[in-house]
Short mmCIF file of all heavy atoms in Angstrom, two decimals:
data_model
loop_
_atom_site.label_atom_id
_atom_site.label_comp_id
_atom_site.label_asym_id
_atom_site.label_seq_id
_atom_site.Cartn_x
_atom_site.Cartn_y
_atom_site.Cartn_z
N GLU A 51 0.48 2.16 -0.86
CA GLU A 51 1.26 3.39 -0.97
C GLU A 51 0.71 4.42 0.00
O GLU A 51 -0.49 4.67 0.07
CB GLU A 51 1.14 3.93 -2.41
CG GLU A 51 1.99 5.14 -2.68
CD GLU A 51 1.65 5.81 -4.01
OE1 GLU A 51 0.93 5.17 -4.81
OE2 GLU A 51 2.09 6.94 -4.23
N ILE A 57 -3.19 11.87 -4.24
CA ILE A 57 -3.65 10.54 -4.61
C ILE A 57 -3.79 10.55 -6.12
O ILE A 57 -4.68 11.19 -6.66
CB ILE A 57 -4.98 10.22 -3.91
CG1 ILE A 57 -4.72 10.10 -2.40
CG2 ILE A 57 -5.60 8.95 -4.47
CD1 ILE A 57 -5.94 10.15 -1.54
N LYS A 58 -2.85 9.90 -6.77
CA LYS A 58 -2.80 10.00 -8.22
C LYS A 58 -2.91 8.64 -8.89
O LYS A 58 -2.35 7.67 -8.43
CB LYS A 58 -1.49 10.67 -8.66
CG LYS A 58 -1.46 12.15 -8.35
CD LYS A 58 -0.13 12.76 -8.74
CE LYS A 58 -0.13 14.26 -8.43
NZ LYS A 58 1.23 14.81 -8.44
N VAL A 59 -3.63 8.64 -9.99
CA VAL A 59 -3.77 7.44 -10.80
C VAL A 59 -3.06 7.72 -12.13
O VAL A 59 -3.30 8.74 -12.75
CB VAL A 59 -5.26 7.12 -11.05
CG1 VAL A 59 -5.43 6.07 -12.13
CG2 VAL A 59 -5.94 6.68 -9.76
N PRO A 60 -2.16 6.83 -12.54
CA PRO A 60 -1.47 7.05 -13.81
C PRO A 60 -2.42 6.81 -14.98
O PRO A 60 -3.13 5.80 -15.00
CB PRO A 60 -0.34 6.02 -13.79
CG PRO A 60 -0.81 4.94 -12.88
CD PRO A 60 -1.73 5.60 -11.88
N LEU A 61 -2.48 7.72 -15.90
CA LEU A 61 -3.36 7.56 -17.06
C LEU A 61 -2.59 7.08 -18.28
O LEU A 61 -3.02 6.19 -19.00
CB LEU A 61 -4.04 8.90 -17.40
CG LEU A 61 -5.12 9.40 -16.44
CD1 LEU A 61 -5.71 10.69 -16.97
CD2 LEU A 61 -6.20 8.36 -16.22
N ARG A 62 -1.45 7.68 -18.46
CA ARG A 62 -0.67 7.34 -19.65
C ARG A 62 -0.14 5.91 -19.52
O ARG A 62 0.42 5.53 -18.50
CB ARG A 62 0.50 8.32 -19.81
CG ARG A 62 1.21 8.19 -21.16
CD ARG A 62 2.20 9.30 -21.36
NE ARG A 62 1.54 10.59 -21.55
CZ ARG A 62 2.12 11.76 -21.31
NH1 ARG A 62 3.35 11.81 -20.83
NH2 ARG A 62 1.48 12.88 -21.53
N GLY A 63 -0.37 5.14 -20.53
CA GLY A 63 0.15 3.78 -20.54
C GLY A 63 -0.70 2.78 -19.77
O GLY A 63 -0.37 1.61 -19.69
N LEU A 64 -1.80 3.27 -19.22
CA LEU A 64 -2.68 2.37 -18.47
C LEU A 64 -3.49 1.53 -19.47
O LEU A 64 -4.25 2.08 -20.26
CB LEU A 64 -3.61 3.18 -17.57
CG LEU A 64 -4.44 2.38 -16.56
CD1 LEU A 64 -3.56 1.84 -15.44
CD2 LEU A 64 -5.55 3.25 -15.96
N PRO A 65 -3.33 0.23 -19.45
CA PRO A 65 -4.07 -0.58 -20.43
C PRO A 65 -5.56 -0.62 -20.13
O PRO A 65 -5.97 -0.40 -18.99
CB PRO A 65 -3.45 -1.99 -20.28
CG PRO A 65 -2.60 -1.98 -19.08
CD PRO A 65 -2.49 -0.57 -18.56
N ASN A 66 -6.37 -0.88 -21.15
CA ASN A 66 -7.81 -1.02 -20.93
C ASN A 66 -8.06 -2.16 -19.96
O ASN A 66 -7.30 -3.12 -19.92
CB ASN A 66 -8.54 -1.28 -22.26
CG ASN A 66 -8.63 -0.03 -23.11
OD1 ASN A 66 -8.19 1.05 -22.68
ND2 ASN A 66 -9.18 -0.17 -24.30
N GLY A 67 -9.11 -2.02 -19.19
CA GLY A 67 -9.43 -3.06 -18.22
C GLY A 67 -9.49 -2.49 -16.83
O GLY A 67 -9.50 -1.28 -16.64
N HIS A 69 -8.14 -1.97 -12.95
CA HIS A 69 -6.92 -1.89 -12.14
C HIS A 69 -7.27 -1.35 -10.76
O HIS A 69 -8.08 -0.45 -10.64
CB HIS A 69 -5.89 -0.95 -12.78
CG HIS A 69 -5.73 -1.16 -14.24
ND1 HIS A 69 -4.81 -2.02 -14.78
CD2 HIS A 69 -6.42 -0.63 -15.29
CE1 HIS A 69 -4.92 -2.01 -16.11
NE2 HIS A 69 -5.89 -1.18 -16.45
N THR A 70 -6.64 -1.91 -9.75
CA THR A 70 -6.91 -1.43 -8.39
C THR A 70 -5.69 -0.73 -7.82
O THR A 70 -4.58 -1.26 -7.87
CB THR A 70 -7.32 -2.60 -7.47
OG1 THR A 70 -8.44 -3.26 -8.03
CG2 THR A 70 -7.69 -2.08 -6.09
N PHE A 71 -5.89 0.46 -7.32
CA PHE A 71 -4.82 1.22 -6.68
C PHE A 71 -5.20 1.43 -5.22
O PHE A 71 -6.34 1.70 -4.90
CB PHE A 71 -4.62 2.58 -7.35
CG PHE A 71 -4.18 2.47 -8.79
CD1 PHE A 71 -5.12 2.39 -9.81
CD2 PHE A 71 -2.83 2.42 -9.12
CE1 PHE A 71 -4.72 2.28 -11.14
CE2 PHE A 71 -2.42 2.30 -10.44
CZ PHE A 71 -3.37 2.23 -11.44
N GLU A 72 -4.21 1.29 -4.36
CA GLU A 72 -4.48 1.47 -2.95
C GLU A 72 -3.63 2.59 -2.38
O GLU A 72 -2.47 2.75 -2.73
CB GLU A 72 -4.18 0.17 -2.18
CG GLU A 72 -5.09 -0.97 -2.60
CD GLU A 72 -4.81 -2.25 -1.83
OE1 GLU A 72 -4.10 -2.18 -0.80
OE2 GLU A 72 -5.29 -3.29 -2.25
N TYR A 73 -4.23 3.37 -1.51
CA TYR A 73 -3.55 4.51 -0.91
C TYR A 73 -3.90 4.57 0.58
O TYR A 73 -4.83 3.91 1.03
CB TYR A 73 -3.97 5.82 -1.55
CG TYR A 73 -3.95 5.83 -3.05
CD1 TYR A 73 -5.04 5.38 -3.77
CD2 TYR A 73 -2.83 6.29 -3.74
CE1 TYR A 73 -5.03 5.38 -5.15
CE2 TYR A 73 -2.81 6.30 -5.12
CZ TYR A 73 -3.92 5.85 -5.82
OH TYR A 73 -3.91 5.85 -7.19
N MET A 97 -9.01 2.48 -5.06
CA MET A 97 -9.48 3.10 -6.28
C MET A 97 -9.48 2.02 -7.37
O MET A 97 -8.42 1.57 -7.80
CB MET A 97 -8.49 4.22 -6.65
CG MET A 97 -9.07 5.37 -7.41
SD MET A 97 -10.26 6.38 -6.50
CE MET A 97 -9.21 7.46 -5.54
N VAL A 99 -10.00 1.32 -10.98
CA VAL A 99 -10.01 2.10 -12.21
C VAL A 99 -10.31 1.18 -13.38
O VAL A 99 -9.59 0.24 -13.65
CB VAL A 99 -8.62 2.75 -12.43
CG1 VAL A 99 -8.61 3.60 -13.69
CG2 VAL A 99 -8.23 3.59 -11.21
N THR A 100 -11.45 1.45 -14.04
CA THR A 100 -11.80 0.64 -15.21
C THR A 100 -11.67 1.52 -16.44
O THR A 100 -12.41 2.50 -16.60
CB THR A 100 -13.23 0.08 -15.08
OG1 THR A 100 -13.36 -0.55 -13.80
CG2 THR A 100 -13.51 -0.92 -16.17
N LYS A 101 -10.71 1.17 -17.26
CA LYS A 101 -10.43 2.02 -18.42
C LYS A 101 -11.02 1.41 -19.68
O LYS A 101 -10.88 0.20 -19.93
CB LYS A 101 -8.92 2.19 -18.58
CG LYS A 101 -8.56 3.24 -19.61
CD LYS A 101 -7.08 3.35 -19.82
CE LYS A 101 -6.78 4.41 -20.88
NZ LYS A 101 -5.39 4.36 -21.30
N ILE A 106 -12.99 6.59 -18.37
CA ILE A 106 -12.46 5.81 -17.26
C ILE A 106 -13.47 5.88 -16.13
O ILE A 106 -13.95 6.95 -15.78
CB ILE A 106 -11.10 6.37 -16.78
CG1 ILE A 106 -10.05 6.17 -17.86
CG2 ILE A 106 -10.66 5.69 -15.48
CD1 ILE A 106 -8.72 6.83 -17.55
N LEU A 108 -14.21 5.22 -12.22
CA LEU A 108 -13.50 5.04 -10.96
C LEU A 108 -14.48 4.66 -9.87
O LEU A 108 -15.54 5.27 -9.75
CB LEU A 108 -12.81 6.35 -10.57
CG LEU A 108 -11.56 6.67 -11.36
CD1 LEU A 108 -11.44 8.15 -11.55
CD2 LEU A 108 -10.35 6.15 -10.63
N VAL A 139 -14.58 9.55 -15.53
CA VAL A 139 -13.59 10.46 -16.10
C VAL A 139 -13.70 10.39 -17.61
O VAL A 139 -13.60 9.32 -18.21
CB VAL A 139 -12.16 10.07 -15.66
CG1 VAL A 139 -11.14 11.00 -16.29
CG2 VAL A 139 -12.04 10.11 -14.14
N PHE A 141 -12.57 12.10 -21.42
CA PHE A 141 -11.53 12.89 -22.08
C PHE A 141 -12.16 13.99 -22.90
O PHE A 141 -13.09 13.76 -23.65
CB PHE A 141 -10.68 11.99 -22.97
CG PHE A 141 -9.98 10.91 -22.19
CD1 PHE A 141 -10.38 9.58 -22.27
CD2 PHE A 141 -8.92 11.23 -21.35
CE1 PHE A 141 -9.74 8.60 -21.53
CE2 PHE A 141 -8.27 10.25 -20.61
CZ PHE A 141 -8.69 8.92 -20.70
N VAL A 159 -11.00 15.33 -18.28
CA VAL A 159 -9.55 15.51 -18.31
C VAL A 159 -9.06 15.63 -19.74
O VAL A 159 -9.66 15.08 -20.67
CB VAL A 159 -8.78 14.36 -17.61
CG1 VAL A 159 -9.04 14.32 -16.13
CG2 VAL A 159 -9.07 13.02 -18.25
N THR A 162 -4.31 14.27 -23.01
CA THR A 162 -2.86 14.12 -22.95
C THR A 162 -2.35 14.03 -21.51
O THR A 162 -1.16 13.86 -21.28
CB THR A 162 -2.16 15.33 -23.64
OG1 THR A 162 -2.61 16.52 -22.97
CG2 THR A 162 -2.51 15.42 -25.10
N ALA A 163 -3.28 14.14 -20.55
CA ALA A 163 -2.87 14.11 -19.14
C ALA A 163 -2.23 12.77 -18.79
O ALA A 163 -2.73 11.71 -19.15
CB ALA A 163 -4.08 14.36 -18.25
N ALA A 164 -1.11 12.85 -18.09
CA ALA A 164 -0.39 11.63 -17.72
C ALA A 164 -0.88 11.06 -16.41
O ALA A 164 -0.84 9.85 -16.18
CB ALA A 164 1.10 11.92 -17.64
N MET A 165 -1.33 11.95 -15.53
CA MET A 165 -1.77 11.53 -14.21
C MET A 165 -3.12 12.14 -13.89
O MET A 165 -3.44 13.24 -14.33
CB MET A 165 -0.77 12.01 -13.14
CG MET A 165 0.58 11.35 -13.20
SD MET A 165 0.48 9.65 -12.61
CE MET A 165 1.61 9.74 -11.26
N LEU A 166 -3.87 11.42 -13.10
CA LEU A 166 -5.15 11.94 -12.64
C LEU A 166 -5.05 12.13 -11.14
O LEU A 166 -4.86 11.17 -10.39
CB LEU A 166 -6.24 10.92 -12.99
CG LEU A 166 -7.68 11.29 -12.70
CD1 LEU A 166 -8.07 12.56 -13.45
CD2 LEU A 166 -8.59 10.15 -13.09
N ASP A 167 -5.12 13.37 -10.71
CA ASP A 167 -4.99 13.66 -9.30
C ASP A 167 -6.38 13.64 -8.63
O ASP A 167 -7.23 14.46 -8.93
CB ASP A 167 -4.33 15.04 -9.12
CG ASP A 167 -3.91 15.26 -7.67
OD1 ASP A 167 -4.43 14.57 -6.78
OD2 ASP A 167 -3.03 16.11 -7.44
N LEU A 168 -6.56 12.70 -7.75
CA LEU A 168 -7.87 12.53 -7.12
C LEU A 168 -7.89 13.00 -5.67
O LEU A 168 -8.85 12.74 -4.94
CB LEU A 168 -8.29 11.05 -7.18
CG LEU A 168 -8.48 10.55 -8.61
CD1 LEU A 168 -8.44 9.05 -8.66
CD2 LEU A 168 -9.78 11.06 -9.20
#
Side-chain angles (χ1 to χ4, degrees):
E51 185 191 347
I57 292 165
K58 288 178 180 164
V59 168
L61 288 183
R62 190 171 291 156
L64 189 71
N66 285 357
H69 315 269
T70 303
F71 297 89
E72 296 181 14
Y73 311 86
M97 209 67 82
V99 181
T100 310
K101 190 183 179 191
I106 293 173
L108 285 145
V139 178
F141 299 108
V159 294
T162 57
M165 292 287 240
L166 185 59
D167 192 340
L168 296 162

